[in-house]
Amino acid sequence: MKRVQFEHSPIPYLFVAPQLLIIAIFFLWPAGQAVYQSFLLEDAFGLSSQFVWFRNYSDTIFNESWLQSAWFTAIFSTLVTFLSLGLALLLAVKANEVIRGASTYKTLLMWAYAIAPPVAGLMGNLMFNPLIGDMYHFMNSFGYDFDHKLHETDAAFVVILISVWKQVSVNFIFFLSGLQGIPKSVTEAATMDCKSPTRRFWTITFPLLAPTTFFLMVTNITYAFFETFGIIDTTTQGAPGGATTTLVYKVFQDGFRGADIGGSSAQSVVLMLVVLVLTVIQFRFIERKVHY
Amino acid sequence: MNLFKKLAVGAVTSMSLMASAAYAQVEIQWWHAMGGRLGEVVEEIAAKYNASQSEYVVVPTYKGGYEDTMTAGIAAFRAKQQPNIIQIFDAGAATIIYSKGAVVPVADLLEKYAGGFDSTDYIEGVRYFYADNEGKMIGMPFNSSTPLLYYNKDIFAKVGLDGPPATWEELEAMAPKLKEAGYQALAQSHSPWIWAENFMSRHNLPLATANNGYDSTDVKILYNTPELRMHWTKVKEWLDKGWYGYYGRGWGDNQDAFVQQKVAMWLGSSGSFGGLTKSAEFKFGAAYLPYWKSVVDEPTSTFIGGAALFAMAGKSEEENKGVADFLKFLTNPEMQYFWHRETGYVPITNAAYEMAKADGYYDTTPDAEIGILQLTQKSGEWTKGYRLGFYVQIREVMYKNFEDILSGKASVEDAFAAIEKDGNALLARFHDTYK
C-alpha cells in the first residue's frame, strides 16, 4: 500500500517565522542574557567582570528580605487572583440577571478596564493619603488605627484592594461573555429540574464557565506577579519594612535602582523558574478538570 | 503638492538644516534628573551657555529621578551611546567612581582644557564629597543641598515659642506645648540621609571604616553605635507621644504635612527653600539641623546631598573640551548665584557666595544663607562625606529597619544589628565586584 505523503511546503514556516522571531528577540535573547549575567559579578558599566558560578544566587536568594518578598508574593497573588475572580463572577452573574438598565450597569463595571495599573496606583495613593485621602479617613473612622505607612497588614490591604479593583472589570467582561455563551435551552431545562438557583449555579453554570475561569486564573496570576508592579511602585514602593515588596519589585529595586545587575539577574532567573513551575502545575493538574 | 509631499519636503529640509547646524557646532549631551521648576532652570542654564558662545551646543535631557538617570546612563554606556555629562546623586557616587574607566575626573578636564583647576575655589563643605581620597574632584558638585530644619513661624508665635530649637533636647522641651495646641512637633523627609548619614557628620562620628569608605572598597559601616541607637530610641518615643509624625518614605508626603500646618517643624533640604516659598501660606523660617547636646558640645558641619555632574569616558577630545568649557561656565560666580537664587541649592564656589553676599541677597532673604552657613561650620574628621558601594540598597535596608522600629516590629537593638549585618553583606559584595 502506498502511504499518502503530502509534499512539504515551506509556506507554514514562513507564516510562523514572524512570531518565532518576536519570541527570539523579546524573550529568548533577554532571558539568555539574564542567565548569563546571573553567573557574573560585573560592575555596573560593564567594564570588568568575573565568573562566579552561583554566588549571585546564594547572595541574593536565600536571605531574609528575598524570602520575605517571596512569602508576600505568594499571599498577594493568591488573594488578588481569588478575590478578583470571585468578585467579578458575582458581579457578572448579577449583571446578567438585570433587565432594566442592563447596559448601564455593564458599562460602569467595565469602565475601570481602561485604566493602566500605575494610574490606578496613583489614584489609590491619593485616596489613602494621610492628609487628604478620603479612604484613609474612612478606614480610621471605625476606631481602628489604620496606618499603611507603618502597619504591614494595612499596606498589604491597600495594594491588594487597588490590584483587585483594577482587575475585576477585566474578569467581569470575560465572565459576562462566558455567561451569555451558555445556551438558553440548558438553563431553562435546569430551571425545570431544580428550584434552587445556588445549586443550579454550581452544578450547571459554573462547570460550563470552567474554560473561562481557567483562562482567567492563568492570566490573573500573571497579572498579580508582574503587572501589579505599577501599582506597588506608585503606592507603597514595597514599604513599610519591605512588607509589600513582590519578587518583581525586588528585581527592580536591586537591578534598576541599585545597579546590582548580577544579583537582580539571579533573582529574575529564579522568578522565571517559579512562573514556569506554576504554569506547568496549572496546565497539568487543573486544566484536566476543565471541560471544553 | 499634496499634504504628504509637503510634509516629506519639510522634513528633509529641516533635517538638512539640523545636520548643517550640528556640523558647525559640537554637541554636548547632558542627562539630568531635575524635574519641574528645577528642570526649567537647567534649560535656562543651557540656553545661556549656548547663547554665550558658538563653538558648542549643550543639549540637556531630563531622564527621570536620580536612580532612573543613573540606570539610563549605565544602559547607554553599555551600548556605547553615553552622554557627555551625567548627573549622579550622592548614593550612586561609589558606583560610577569605582567603575574604572566610566568617567574622566572633572579636575583633569578643567586642568587640561579650561586653564587650570583649584579645589580651594570651592566652598569647604562641597570640596571633598565627590573627590577621591587625595582630594581630586572626580565629579563636579551641581545641585548641592544639606538638611535643614524648617519651622512655622505662625504656629510658633501662636504657641508662644521664641525660635527654632538648636538641639534635640530643646525640641523635646517644645514638643508638649505644640501638642497641646494640636500640632505634631516634627516631620522629616529621607531618614537615612538626615537621621543616619548627616547625624554622623553633625556629631563628628565616623559612619564607616577605611576613612568613611574613601580609602578602600573593603569597608564596614559603623551605624550600629550607641549615639545613633539612642537617637532612634528617642524618635520612637516621639512617635508614640504624638510629637513626631511619620508620613511614609515619600519626600513630598512629609513636606505636605508641614505645608498643610499639621506639623510645626519639618526636616528637609536647603534645596526645598524655593518650593516652600511658593507653597506655604504662612511665615516660615529655616534653621540649622539640631544636634544632641548630650553627644557633642559644639556641632560640626553637615554633608552636602544632592548630585554631581560627571564627564563620561569614551568621548572625543573635541567634545571633552566642550564639557570642560561648559563646566567652567557653570561654575562661574554669575551662574552659581543664578542657580542658588532660583533653586535654593547652595552656590559651590567661594566667589559665588561672596557675590550673593555683596548683592545683599541674604539681607532680604536671610533663610537662604542657612544652608551654606551650616556647610561652612566647623569641620571635623568625619564631615567630608562618605563613599560606600551599593549605597542605594543600604539606604533601602535602613528605611526598612527604621520602619520596623517605628511600627514596633523590631527593637532598636535588633534593627541596628540587622542594618549592620545586611549593610556589611552588601559592602562585601560591592568590594568583590569592584576590586
Side-chain angles (χ1 to χ4, degrees), chain B residues 15-26:
Chain B
M15 261 159 68
S16 59
L17 275 174
M18 271 157 62
S20 60
Y23 181 74
Q25 292 176 305
V26 179

Side-chain angles (χ1 to χ4, degrees), chain B residues 193-345:
Chain B
W193 184 51
I194 301 180
W195 278 348
E197 294 147 31
N198 278 288
F199 180 92
M200 300 314 240
S201 173
R202 198 87 183 114
H203 300 94
N204 199 23
L205 298 164
L207 66 76
T209 58
N211 185 21
N212 270 4
Y214 279 104
D215 288 349
S216 158
T217 50
D218 189 7
V219 55
K220 287 191 163 39
I221 48 171
L222 300 172
Y223 282 130
N224 194 2
T225 56
E227 292 86 358
L228 198 54
R229 286 200 304 268
M230 177 275 285
H231 179 74
W232 277 93
T233 311
K234 289 287 191 180
V235 171
K236 169 67 175 155
E237 272 176 40
W238 299 344
L239 183 86
D240 292 342
K241 285 180 181 159
W243 297 354
Y244 167 56
Y246 184 72
Y247 294 87
R249 291 184 195 185
W251 181 283
D253 295 334
N254 291 285
Q255 185 172 347
D256 287 348
F258 178 69
V259 170
Q260 294 178 26
Q261 314 207 46
K262 271 204 84 149
V263 299
M265 288 171 265
W266 170 63
L267 297 178
S269 149
S270 57
S272 313
F273 183 76
L276 278 181
T277 46
K278 290 204 175 64
S279 59
E281 288 166 347
F282 51 86
K283 275 201 219 93
F284 70 90
Y288 296 136
L289 180 70
Y291 61 97
W292 286 102
K293 193 84 186 161
S294 61
V295 177
V296 282
D297 281 335
E298 197 192 338
T300 37
S301 71
T302 46
F303 297 145
I304 47 165
L309 301 184
F310 286 87
M312 297 206 81
K315 293 294 181 183
S316 69
E317 183 162 345
E318 205 183 8
E319 287 178 26
N320 283 342
K321 234 175 170 166
V323 171
D325 193 57
F326 173 64
L327 289 178
K328 195 180 166 192
F329 174 83
L330 187 67
T331 47
N332 77 29
E334 288 81 16
M335 283 323 293
Q336 281 300 313
Y337 181 32
F338 169 73
W339 175 243
H340 175 44
R341 226 176 31 219
E342 292 297 314
T343 64
Y345 285 115

Side-chain angles (χ1 to χ4, degrees), chain A residues 162-265:
Chain A
I162 300 168
S163 307
V164 168
W165 176 80
K166 153 87 197 90
Q167 192 63 6
V168 159
S169 53
V170 186
N171 296 344
F172 171 79
I173 295 170
F174 279 94
F175 275 132
L176 189 68
S177 62
L179 283 170
Q180 286 169 347
I182 296 172
K184 270 271 181 305
S185 53
V186 176
T187 46
E188 276 165 11
T191 318
M192 272 186 260
D193 287 342
C194 173
K195 233 171 73 177
S196 159
T198 328
R199 188 139 173 248
R200 281 204 312 269
F201 175 78
W202 289 113
T203 50
I204 305 293
T205 317
F206 190 67
L208 286 170
L209 275 178
T212 312
T213 314
F214 177 71
F215 165 77
L216 286 177
M217 199 183 80
V218 175
T219 51
N220 275 262
I221 288 176
T222 321
Y223 164 80
F225 259 80
F226 296 101
E227 283 171 65
T228 50
F229 170 86
I231 291 171
I232 289 166
D233 193 42
T234 45
T235 52
T236 61
Q237 296 181 306
T244 58
T245 309
T246 54
L247 289 173
V248 173
Y249 201 72
K250 188 148 172 52
V251 169
F252 167 76
Q253 276 182 333
D254 287 351
F256 286 80
R257 293 252 177 265
D260 178 2
I261 292 164
S264 76
S265 296

